């Protein structure tokens, strides 16, 4: 059977089974990696179960963040005539990009509970192909998150100029169908999370994670509009920048362990700067 490159059947909507790891999917057959949704599937199922059982009664900060993301998830596309097909393609990607930006904003603000942070991080991971599409960051020092092959956006000054072009003009674009396939399942989860919790609020214990990462962590600052700064974290003991790091996260803080034996949480990095560069697991 020939793969249908207009659709990505391996997109995992929260609440459905994960794709069969055996054999190629339609996305891989078309040369585009599937969306990184393993963490999203896990965190959405946890959130759904906790909310339904009453183990998680969101506080005001969780509900507010969920409502903001929900507004992005359910935002209607502008009405376009038949002659606006290319503009509509940009509208579709822009909606997904706004979901990514909203998730990252509330994740890094540090006001939500650990389970809400884990869910927002997983949403941001899934939609990372849209961090620069259709509007790339207009500076070379802006974040450079890993995105599936075939969906990398241009960088630097050229990226700023590319923001004026339609996504349809680019030979390599994010798998928009797969991104939109996640919307109904995510809408259900965030609708429940944004609903009034009644009396009192509580959240389940954090589900910490521990992993190893060989590579650099970068902290990005934005002191002014269109101005970005980027700093590489180095071990305060030996100045190592490449690890391999032992990363431990409880969704309140992240600690980094260096091979030299130094462990620190004074790195200045945000949750997204960690989570979006780690392998999807």
């Amino acid at each position: 059977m020939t793969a249908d490159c207009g659709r990505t059947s391996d997109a995992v909507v929260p609440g459905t089974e994960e794709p069969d790891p055996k054999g190629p999917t339609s996305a891989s057959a078309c040369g585009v990696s599937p969306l990184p949704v393993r963490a999203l599937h896990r965190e959405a199922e946890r959130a759904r179960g906790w909310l339904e059982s009453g183990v998680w009664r969101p506080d005001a900060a969780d509900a507010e963040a969920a409502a903001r993301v929900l507004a992005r998830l359910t935002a209607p596309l502008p009405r376009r005539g038949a002659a606006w097909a290319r503009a509509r393609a940009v509208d579709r990607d822009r909606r997904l990009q706004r979901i990514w930006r909203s998730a990252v904003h509330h994740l890094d603000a540090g006001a939500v509970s650990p389970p809400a942070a884990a869910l927002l991080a997983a949403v941001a991971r899934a939609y990372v192909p849209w961090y620069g599409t259709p509007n790339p960051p207009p500076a070379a020092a802006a974040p450079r998150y890993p995105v599936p092959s075939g969906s990398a956006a241009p960088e630097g000054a050229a990226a700023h100029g590319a923001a004026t072009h339609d996504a349809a003009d680019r030979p390599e674009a994010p798998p928009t169908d797969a991104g939109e396939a996640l919307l109904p399942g995510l809408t259900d989860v965030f609708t429940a999370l944004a609903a009034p919790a009644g009396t009192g609020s509580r959240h389940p214990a954090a589900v910490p994670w521990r992993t190893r990462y060989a590579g650099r962590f970068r902290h990005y600052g934005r002191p002014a509009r269109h101005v970005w700064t980027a700093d590489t974290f180095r071990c305060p003991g030996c100045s190592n920048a490449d690890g391999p790091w032992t990363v431990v996260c409880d969704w309140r803080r992240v600690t980094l362990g260096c091979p030299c034996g130094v462990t620190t949480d004074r790195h200045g990095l945000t949750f997204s700067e960690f989570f979006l560069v780690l392998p999807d697991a």
Side-chain angles (χ1 to χ4, degrees), residues 33 45 92 105 122 192-193 212 226 232 234 248 252 271:
S33 298
E45 285 303 294
R92 294 173 66 199
H105 171 78
L193 185 54
R212 298 266 289 175
H226 298 334
T232 299
R234 295 182 180 275
V248 181
R252 289 294 187 194
F271 281 130

Side-chain angles (χ1 to χ4, degrees), residues 144-171:
R144 299 181 184 182
Y145 296 115
V147 294
S149 61
S151 59
E155 295 170 349
H160 183 43
T164 60
H165 295 291
D166 292 346
D169 291 335
R170 300 177 195 156

Side-chain angles (χ1 to χ4, degrees), residues 21-237:
K22 308 171 188 175
T25 63
S26 62
S28 60
C30 295
V32 178
S33 298
L35 291 178
V37 291
R38 186 174 300 174
L40 178 60
H41 177 83
R42 180 183 66 244
E43 298 303 334
E45 285 303 294
R46 279 178 182 162
R48 193 192 307 276
W50 285 334
L51 291 166
E52 289 176 353
S53 64
V55 173
W56 186 5
R57 287 207 299 261
D59 58 20
D62 289 352
E64 180 183 357
R68 297 292 181 87
V69 176
L70 180 62
R72 299 299 194 190
L73 290 168
T74 57
L77 294 174
R79 294 190 176 185
R80 307 284 193 183
W84 289 86
R86 298 171 96 190
R88 187 169 183 82
V90 174
D91 291 338
R92 294 173 66 199
D93 282 325
R94 184 171 289 123
R95 177 170 58 183
L96 302 182
Q97 184 178 61
R98 286 171 175 166
I99 292 170
W100 184 88
R101 289 177 174 173
S102 185
V104 169
H105 171 78
H106 292 288
L107 169 66
D108 288 344
V112 299
S113 65
L119 179 60
L120 288 170
V123 172
R125 166 73 62 74
Y127 284 102
V128 74
W130 286 272
Y131 92 92
T133 301
N135 303 121
R144 299 181 184 182
Y145 296 115
V147 294
S149 61
S151 59
E155 295 170 349
H160 183 43
T164 60
H165 295 291
D166 292 346
D169 291 335
R170 300 177 195 156
E172 298 178 347
T176 304
D177 287 345
E180 290 180 335
L182 298 175
L183 296 181
L186 286 175
T187 298
D188 290 345
V189 173
F190 277 86
T191 297
L193 185 54
T199 27
S201 62
R202 65 179 176 218
H203 55 77
V207 181
W209 49 264
R210 179 188 183 96
T211 189
R212 298 266 289 175
Y213 176 70
R216 297 193 168 196
F217 288 110
R218 302 269 283 171
H219 173 64
Y220 299 93
R222 196 176 186 183
R225 182 176 175 81
H226 298 334
V227 177
W228 289 85
T229 59
D231 298 303
T232 299
F233 171 75
R234 295 182 180 275
C235 171

